[in-house]
Amino acid sequence: MKNTPKILVIDDELMIQIILDRLIVGYGFEPIQALNEETARQQLMQHTPDIVLLDIMIPDCDSMALLQLIKADPKLRHTRVIMISGTPNHDLIASYIAAGADDYVLKPFHVVLLKSRLLHALERLKMERSNALVQDILAEVAAKLRTISKEYEKADNNISHDIQGCLTGVLSCAQFLEGND
């Protein structure tokens, strides 16, 4: 399962965990579970998931702090976060999206919609990783070009100095020969 996308489900409801586990496996992805904040933090560091399905309301858990942790950690910078919630409180959901959540899904889940959102998140993740790779390559090329440019400038200065020295020598010889005529 090396290239299989990993999806971390952070939800305190065991039945939701079981349902999502089966759906995620059925979609061809690797599920990872966390029923509480402590386990969620461990799973985030251990697995570096591609997507996190994060319940907004987990007892004794600050879901906003978890979201902010994911978005602030360079190791998790590409991880997509989809909020899951049984509440239709649009202001609350909007606050999570404003804080960096990539999407949300309301409970109970519609399997086709959930799969669509997961696939969309994975496609965006793939594009972001490709863009990051291209940016890294471009930065490498730019650094090499700067090095080559400095070496060229140094060589150009040396050649100019050498040519100037030769011309000065030729001029001195010509003046000497003119003086002896």
Side-chain angles (χ1 to χ4, degrees), residues 54 62-73 81 95 99-100:
L54 175 58
D62 185 348
S63 295
M64 184 64 80
L66 271 177
L67 172 63
Q68 291 167 342
L69 169 90
I70 294 166
K71 293 302 176 178
D73 188 327
V81 179
S95 71

Side-chain angles (χ1 to χ4, degrees), residues 8-12 17 32-49 52-54 58-62 66 69-70 76:
L8 172 59
V9 178
I10 305 171
D11 196 306
D12 62 309
Q17 287 279 356
I32 305 164
Q33 296 85 22
L35 290 167
N36 57 50
E37 186 172 358
E38 182 183 340
T39 306
R41 288 175 183 271
Q42 291 169 355
Q43 298 288 41
L44 283 166
M45 295 305 121
Q46 183 179 349
H47 296 285
T48 313
V52 172
L53 293 173
L54 175 58
I58 301 174
D60 302 320
C61 176
D62 185 348
L66 271 177
L69 169 90
I70 294 166
L76 301 169

